């Protein structure tokens, strides 16, 4: 159960979740839910405020990086700019009190989201629905990008899978399976291609050794600029889906 605490003058806003499974108290930051203190069942409730006060500098830094201010929680997006595949998907929201949250395609690039917007957990439910839609969209639209980079570089992968991870744009297994983050759809085509190429190079070198970098540079001479651009590319992902 989430309760949003009133904003203390000195502390970022936070909510408290009591978890029967938590072994000890911890702080969790996300753009969709802001700062959350998870407490084991039976904890002293004042522990939450003390914990936030103690880790205040850390929490403020992470919230800033996520693009969420302490008191603001990510809003439902009005549209999704899928830059990598040059599409903009519009989202329409319909309020249906008491009904389960649903997401339906209502046109080629249009989604209809219906359900109870006042229900507890609405934003996290919406986030989960949008992320699973995004994974399907990536599985539909991104394989041609992988094929193109593969043909261009002569580097082949054995399969491609799409996930919606928080931390990584992609990874590659020893068996040559590429795992790509579906959120690459939000990046420019140039950056999405660069991540794909980076992962394809891992089919040859499973590390970031000088030989790996040499291989990547032989296919992408502009890799330093693209690597730097990737470091801030998370800002292209809508806050709710971060
Ligand atoms: Zn890598």
């Amino acid at each position: 159960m989430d309760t949003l605490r009133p904003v203390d003058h000195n502390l970022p806003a936070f909510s408290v979740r009591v978890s029967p499974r938590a072994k000890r108290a911890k702080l969790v930051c996300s753009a969709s839910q802001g700062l959350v203190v998870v407490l084991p069942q039976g904890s002293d409730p004042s522990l939450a405020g003390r914990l936030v006060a103690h880790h205040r500098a850390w929490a403020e830094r992470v919230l800033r990086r996520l693009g969420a201010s302490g008191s603001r929680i990510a809003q439902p997006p009005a549209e999704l700019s899928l830059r990598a595949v040059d599409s903009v998907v519009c989202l329409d929201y319909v309020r249906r009190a008491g009904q389960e949250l649903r997401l339906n395609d209502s046109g080629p690039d249009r989604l209809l989201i219906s359900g109870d917007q006042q229900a507890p957990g609405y934003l996290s439910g919406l986030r989960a629905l949008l992320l699973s839609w995004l994974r399907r969209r990536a599985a539909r639209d991104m394989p041609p990008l992988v094929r193109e980079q593969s043909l261009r570089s002569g580097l082949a992968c054995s399969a491609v899978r799409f996930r919606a991870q928080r931390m990584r744009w992609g990874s590659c297994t020893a068996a040559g399976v590429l795992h790509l983050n579906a959120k690459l759809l939000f990046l420019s085509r140039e950056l999405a291609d660069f991540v794909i190429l980076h992962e394809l190079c891992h089919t040859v070198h499973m590390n970031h050794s000088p030989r790996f970098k040499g291989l990547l540079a032989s296919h992408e001479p502009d890799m330093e600029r693209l690597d730097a651009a990737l470091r801030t590319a998370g800002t292209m992902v809508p806050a709710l889906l971060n």
Side-chain angles (χ1 to χ4, degrees):
M1 170 121 158
D2 277 352
T3 38
L4 202 63
R5 298 282 147 144
V7 184
D8 182 296
H9 290 305
N10 301 307
L11 294 181
F14 61 94
S15 55
V16 177
R17 190 163 70 232
V18 176
S19 162
R21 280 171 306 165
K23 296 232 176 1
R24 55 194 183 84
K26 62 175 178 180
L27 294 181
V28 184
C29 263
S30 70
S32 55
Q33 302 187 357
L35 180 61
V36 179
V37 183
V38 182
L39 294 178
Q41 206 130 41
S43 306
D44 173 0
S46 73
L47 178 62
R50 281 185 282 133
L51 205 63
V52 172
H54 188 74
H55 295 286
R56 183 182 144 196
W58 170 84
E60 284 172 348
R61 198 167 59 239
V62 175
L63 286 166
R64 243 191 333 271
R65 207 171 59 215
L66 288 171
S69 77
S71 57
R72 201 202 59 174
I73 290 178
Q75 294 302 304
E79 58 178 41
L80 302 175
S81 293
L82 308 180
R83 298 170 190 85
V85 290
D86 204 15
S87 297
V88 176
V89 177
C90 294
L91 278 63
D92 302 309
Y93 295 87
V94 179
R95 179 158 189 223
R96 300 245 162 84
Q99 282 193 20
E100 197 187 326
L101 193 58
R102 279 174 205 283
L103 180 150
N104 291 300
D105 288 299
S106 55
D109 271 324
R110 213 163 184 109
L111 295 176
L112 180 68
I113 290 134
S114 60
D116 194 340
Q117 289 145 6
Q118 310 295 319
Y122 168 71
L123 279 180
S124 54
L126 176 62
R127 177 174 194 276
L129 279 180
L130 288 173
L131 286 177
S132 81
W133 175 85
L134 194 70
R135 266 200 310 275
R136 292 195 299 275
R137 182 69 181 237
R140 190 193 85 179
D141 289 358
M142 289 190 67
L145 277 62
V146 177
R147 267 196 298 279
E148 194 183 310
Q149 289 308 307
S150 186
L151 280 173
R152 202 172 73 81
S153 62
L155 300 166
C157 58
S158 52
V160 190
R161 310 221 194 290
F162 295 93
R163 292 172 168 173
Q165 298 144 300
R166 202 184 281 272
M167 300 302 292
R168 310 171 78 174
W169 291 118
S171 60
C172 177
T173 72
V177 179
L178 258 56
H179 290 278
L180 296 176
N181 195 329
K183 295 175 199 173
L184 285 170
L185 285 169
F186 293 116
L187 272 49
S188 65
R189 174 68 186 265
E190 181 184 47
L191 283 181
D193 281 346
F194 180 59
V195 170
I196 293 167
L197 182 65
H198 177 115
E199 299 309 334
L200 285 170
C201 289
H202 278 315
T203 62
V204 181
H205 302 291
M206 286 295 295
N207 50 44
H208 292 136
S209 62
R211 276 164 46 181
F212 168 83
K213 286 185 181 143
L215 178 63
L216 183 54
S218 73
H219 295 297
E220 181 48 79
D222 216 5
M223 64 181 261
E224 274 173 35
R225 177 182 65 83
L226 293 167
D227 258 330
L230 261 185
R231 267 176 245 132
T232 54
T235 55
M236 291 189 228
V237 179
L240 183 69
L241 301 186
N242 231 321

